[in-house]
Amino acid sequence: RLAGLSTIDEIDELRAELEDRFGPLPLEADNLMYQLRLKAHAVKAGVEAIVAEDKHVAIRSQALQEIDRKALQDALGERVRVRRRELRLPMEQEPVWRAELVRTVQVLGAQAA
């Protein structure tokens, strides 16, 4: 059932159903829901890959070649480095970079639309 989820609404509905049945999700299930949400945002934004490299997260997308990278940089702020084919986000504090990663992918999707 998890493999068939493709939208944020579907993922949120499943999460709510699981929490209703079993209570708060264990860390592993919470991480899985985070990954599913991130993947849904990434697909919408045209992201080809998200990988961890040298204390950074690299978000790779061909769409970066076709959008205004200066406007994207302004929207993302100075913590994210905008390059021709990837965005680089530092992985410093876990809760912070995870939230920033989702926000970064969402902003990329909005700029690419």
Side-chain angles (χ1 to χ4, degrees), residues 65-105:
Q65 295 183 75
E66 301 169 12
I67 65 174
D68 182 350
R69 289 190 298 277
K70 169 115 174 59
L72 179 60
Q73 183 70 69
D74 292 343
L76 292 173
E78 61 187 48
R79 283 185 44 83
V80 178
R81 286 187 283 164
V82 176
R83 295 182 173 174
R84 198 166 64 116
R85 293 188 182 164
E86 75 177 15
L87 305 173
R88 291 186 67 81
L89 173 69
M91 289 191 303
E92 293 166 349
Q93 298 171 331
E94 171 115 10
V96 174
W97 73 259
R98 284 176 55 132
E100 285 180 333
L101 177 57
V102 171
R103 180 186 169 278
T104 299
V105 172

Side-chain angles (χ1 to χ4, degrees), residues 1 4-16 33:
R1 183 169 169 195
L5 301 177
S6 60
T7 68
I8 298 299
D9 289 340
E10 292 172 342
I11 296 162
D12 290 344
E13 287 174 16
L14 179 61
R15 179 187 192 98
M33 292 294 155

Side-chain angles (χ1 to χ4, degrees), residues 38-75:
L38 180 60
K39 181 180 177 184
H41 286 301
V43 167
K44 185 177 176 182
V47 171
E48 287 108 30
I50 299 175
V51 295
E53 297 177 338
D54 302 323
K55 298 182 183 180
H56 285 82
V57 176
I59 304 163
R60 296 193 177 117
S61 175
Q62 294 296 325
L64 287 167
Q65 295 183 75
E66 301 169 12
I67 65 174
D68 182 350
R69 289 190 298 277
K70 169 115 174 59
L72 179 60
Q73 183 70 69
D74 292 343

